[in-house]
Amino acid sequence: FCSTLGQYPAFFAVFSREFAEQTIREDSMPDTREMERFYPPGRMGYPWSKMGAEIVLRRARELGLPLFIYRLPNTYVAWDTGYTNKGDYACSLTISSVQEAMFPVGAATAPFSPVDTICRMLVEVSL
């Protein structure tokens, strides 16, 4: 199952300020109080849906279903084809930044992981 590191406010905040000492381990689960503060359930359902799916899948794994949960970083442009989701805010920001030759002051770094590269890696480790 492909989940996301984005369900962790610390990852979303690039481990800055109050998250500077936090770590995310393979068996970590997000702190729901932090999530409520940063991702109000009525306004941001995506991280909550990923956490809910992980809870169900962890239980299925306990009952014997062989599965792994991969929490992916931000994935963007396909390296092989150049395809990107222009509707994604981060892609739009990146395209605008390239066109304007500047990145917003104070913006977090942009860890871009080509989606096709990540897919190949997941297939390799899963075989």
Side-chain angles (χ1 to χ4, degrees):
F1 174 72
C2 290
S3 191
T4 178
L5 288 167
Q7 63 185 308
Y8 293 88
F11 178 79
F12 196 76
V14 196
F15 298 93
S16 60
R17 297 190 178 143
E18 67 186 272
F19 302 109
E21 301 300 317
Q22 285 194 12
T23 58
I24 299 172
R25 300 191 191 303
E26 188 174 327
D27 60 346
S28 296
M29 283 299 289
D31 181 320
T32 55
R33 289 178 308 241
E34 283 181 359
M35 287 182 69
E36 285 174 357
R37 201 165 50 125
F38 285 87
Y39 311 131
R43 293 193 353 222
M44 283 188 78
Y46 181 75
W48 292 94
S49 68
K50 288 295 191 176
M51 185 182 78
E54 281 193 30
I55 290 169
V56 170
L57 291 171
R58 283 172 178 255
R59 180 67 180 135
R61 184 171 53 201
E62 290 171 8
L63 295 172
L65 182 68
L67 70 90
F68 293 94
I69 297 172
Y70 299 101
R71 292 189 185 127
L72 304 179
N74 298 329
T75 56
Y76 294 104
V77 178
W79 179 261
D80 292 342
T81 65
Y83 173 80
T84 188
N85 177 4
K86 292 181 184 176
D88 179 78
Y89 78 93
C91 288
S92 297
L93 174 62
T94 302
I95 291 168
S96 300
S97 296
V98 169
Q99 290 173 340
E100 296 299 320
M102 61 176 42
F103 201 72
V105 175
T109 58
F112 298 115
S113 303
V115 67
D116 46 348
T117 301
I118 289 176
C119 288
R120 278 194 293 277
M121 293 167 70
L122 290 175
V123 168
E124 281 184 33
V125 301
S126 297
L127 295 177

